[in-house]
Amino acid sequence: MTDQLSPKNAYETLPLIYDEAGFSDFAKQYVPDFIQYLQEQGWIGRRVLDLGCGTGISIQSLVERRMSVTGVDASQEMIARATAHVSEGGYDAQLIRETLQSYIPTEKGFDLILCLNVLNHIASVRDLEKIFQRANWGLEMGKVFLFDLHTIRGLSENIGNRTEIYHDSNDLFVVIDNQFDYETSSLWRYYKFFFRQPGGDFIRSEEDHILRGYPYRAVVGMLQRSGFQVQHAINLNFQPFDITTDKTGRVVIIAEKTRDFNQS
């Protein structure tokens, strides 16, 4: 299997219309529910690291719950929009522009690390495990790393080889052509954007994204090697995830740090 996949022009246009097209709706809908679920399971904490924070929608929800938040994203425009959201809301959050592959928490002490709608975009197995290892470094012992993944079945069957109109309004039209590659377990997504500029003229733009599927058991193995134990695996209906019967196509993993990761 090819270990490294490379999209083209990713995140050149998407950040400009991310909220307007509804790409941030997942975080807006689920972050409050995930926090409530964690608290029901006995989690207590205040310091949160949001990996792949995007335009900062999740940060807004967390700060409203009186949490201290650090957000990291590779896109300069995403960070700019997150900064604007934080400023407009009068929130206090630290925002860092850096890739998840290269970001290293400067100190331990986070009670929760969130990584939502992001890790399928990591095209390298080595980089994915590296992110797990660095999440271990940033967490207090006994605290948790919560992230979601589209399953291979979800990418191949629930999305599959089809064209979808993702957003259609007077000022913005987004269409996505999807092609699943069984050899690499990856979904290639070809985005076409048509959006109105302030002057009234429409602009067309295109970019490619790749979502790589990872076998669930392989992900659990990487987490264990990185010093985590999976405490809960659920679907978006907050029911236990079963790889053999799941039809939702998405898993939310809550992993507890049980030991420090030893690079040696």
Side-chain angles (χ1 to χ4, degrees):
M1 178 182 291
T2 302
D3 187 54
Q4 186 71 52
L5 303 169
S6 300
K8 296 179 180 179
N9 305 321
Y11 295 100
E12 290 186 357
T13 300
L14 188 60
L16 304 176
I17 51 87
Y18 198 79
D19 294 335
E20 293 81 354
F23 289 102
S24 59
D25 288 354
F26 179 81
K28 183 183 298 184
Q29 176 180 352
Y30 281 102
V31 166
D33 294 338
F34 289 149
I35 296 300
Q36 180 178 339
Y37 181 85
L38 288 174
Q39 291 173 336
E40 290 172 353
Q41 306 305 314
W43 174 81
I44 299 174
R46 183 172 179 272
R47 294 191 61 192
V48 181
L49 173 62
D50 185 3
L51 295 176
C53 65
T55 60
I57 295 299
S58 55
I59 292 175
Q60 176 181 343
S61 180
L62 293 165
V63 171
E64 287 173 351
R65 287 160 177 78
R66 299 185 179 180
M67 296 182 182
S68 173
V69 185
T70 299
V72 180
D73 203 280
S75 166
Q76 181 176 355
E77 184 60 34
M78 288 287 199
I79 289 293
R81 300 201 80 181
T83 300
H85 279 147
V86 167
S87 177
E88 291 166 5
Y91 306 129
D92 183 17
Q94 181 182 13
L95 297 171
I96 300 170
R97 184 197 174 195
E98 194 163 352
T99 67
L100 301 196
Q101 296 92 322
S102 62
Y103 174 71
I104 302 176
T106 55
E107 59 183 63
K108 296 185 179 182
F110 289 106
D111 301 307
L112 170 65
I113 296 180
L114 285 177
C115 193
L116 300 179
N117 213 15
V118 171
L119 291 182
N120 288 108
H121 293 272
I122 303 301
S124 162
V125 173
R126 289 186 292 269
D127 284 344
L128 182 63
E129 189 157 6
K130 185 185 298 182
I131 291 169
F132 291 169
Q133 294 163 0
R134 291 175 176 176
N136 176 284
W137 167 257
L139 281 169
E140 289 279 6
M141 191 66 67
K143 298 303 183 180
V144 297
F145 179 28
L146 185 153
F147 63 93
D148 73 300
L149 283 168
H150 292 276
T151 64
I152 295 175
R153 180 177 180 180
L155 294 176
S156 63
E157 297 182 11
N158 292 23
I159 303 177
N161 298 309
R162 63 185 176 92
T163 298
E164 57 181 308
I165 297 175
Y166 192 89
H167 183 89
D168 186 3
S169 65
N170 290 335
D171 297 322
L172 175 64
F173 182 77
V174 181
V175 61
I176 308 173
D177 293 321
N178 299 289
Q179 295 181 16
F180 187 79
D181 183 346
Y182 285 90
E183 181 179 351
T184 60
S185 298
S186 299
L187 181 72
W188 293 71
R189 311 196 81 189
Y190 303 95
Y191 288 68
K192 295 183 178 68
F193 308 100
F194 303 85
F195 59 98
R196 193 189 303 271
Q197 287 187 306
D201 294 332
F202 273 88
I203 288 181
R204 170 176 172 163
S205 179
E206 299 182 7
E207 62 186 56
D208 303 343
H209 293 255
I210 302 172
L211 302 183
R212 180 167 180 177
Y214 291 96
Y216 172 72
R217 292 184 180 87
V219 171
V220 172
M222 283 188 276
L223 286 167
Q224 291 172 343
R225 290 194 297 273
S226 302
F228 290 99
Q229 288 294 325
V230 174
Q231 298 301 311
H232 304 280
I234 57 176
N235 60 32
L236 293 183
N237 298 318
F238 292 85
Q239 299 299 315
F241 174 79
D242 184 342
I243 188 64
T244 61
T245 61
D246 177 71
K247 295 183 179 179
T248 67
R250 207 157 183 170
V251 58
V252 179
I253 295 176
I254 301 166
E256 178 185 347
K257 176 178 175 176
T258 55
R259 62 176 174 85
D260 288 320
F261 172 70
N262 187 349
Q263 294 188 1
S264 61

